[in-house]
Amino acid sequence: MSAKKASGKVPRAKAAPSSSRAGLDPAISETSMIVAVQEIPIANLRPNPSNPRICRDDRFAKLKKSITEFPDMMNKRPIVAVTDKDGKLMVLGGNMRLRACQDLGLKTVPVVLADDWTEEQRRRFIIADNVGFGEHD
C-alpha cells in the first residue's frame, strides 16, 4: 500500500485542470491543492477521542473486507491526521479505517497531515467527514 516511488519520495497529487474545477472556490490556487500522502506506522496514530462515529459490527466487517479486497482505496482516501501536543498523530478523518487496518494487522497506512489547519478548520472537517457515513451516538 505504499505511495512511495523508487526514489523514496512520496509522490504528490496534482490539482485537476481548471476546466474540471467547476464549483470550486476561485481563491483556491492549484498549488494549494497539492496533497502529500505519507506512509505512517499505525503505532504513531491514535483515534480522535471525540470521534462521533459508531461503526456497527456488520458495517465494520464490510469495511475490513473492502480494505482487504481493494487496498488501493486507502491511497485514494488516506487518513487525515494532525500532530498532537505529545507528538502523536491524532486522526481527524478515518478513525474507523484506522481501527479496521489495526484489526487487519497492517503496520502502516497512508496519511495526510493537516497541521496547518486552524482549530475551526479541524472542527469543520470532522463534522463534514462524518455527515454521510456510519452512525452517530
Side-chain angles (χ1 to χ4, degrees):
M1 250 196 311
S2 179
K4 292 185 179 181
K5 289 184 177 177
S7 67
K9 292 184 178 178
V10 177
R12 292 179 179 255
K14 298 214 177 190
S18 299
S19 61
S20 66
R21 296 183 57 200
L24 291 180
D25 183 342
I28 298 174
S29 70
E30 289 191 15
T31 57
S32 69
M33 293 183 65
I34 294 175
V35 177
V37 178
Q38 303 176 50
E39 198 73 18
I40 303 286
I42 284 182
N44 293 0
L45 294 160
R46 65 182 178 91
N48 184 340
S50 302
N51 180 36
R53 182 172 296 163
I54 299 168
C55 198
R56 304 285 181 218
D57 291 342
D58 58 329
R59 295 194 76 180
F60 189 65
K62 287 179 184 177
L63 175 60
K64 289 184 356 182
K65 183 178 179 186
S66 293
I67 293 170
T68 301
E69 292 177 354
F70 188 48
D72 193 44
M73 82 171 208
M74 291 295 296
N75 291 318
K76 302 302 181 198
R77 190 156 192 263
I79 290 170
V80 177
V82 293
T83 306
D84 214 348
K85 294 173 186 157
D86 63 1
K88 282 262 193 172
L89 299 177
M90 183 185 69
V91 175
L92 294 181
N95 285 281
M96 291 297 105
R97 283 177 280 137
L98 173 62
R99 194 173 126 215
C101 289
Q102 289 169 325
D103 276 14
L104 291 169
L106 300 180
K107 301 296 181 208
T108 63
V109 290
V111 175
V112 172
L113 291 180
D115 288 339
D116 58 329
W117 287 356
T118 65
E119 286 300 320
E120 175 64 15
Q121 288 172 310
R122 294 173 185 191
R123 186 188 67 74
R124 288 176 56 201
F125 175 81
I126 291 168
I127 292 168
D129 191 56
N130 282 287
V131 166
F133 304 99
E135 297 176 34
H136 305 275
D137 58 358

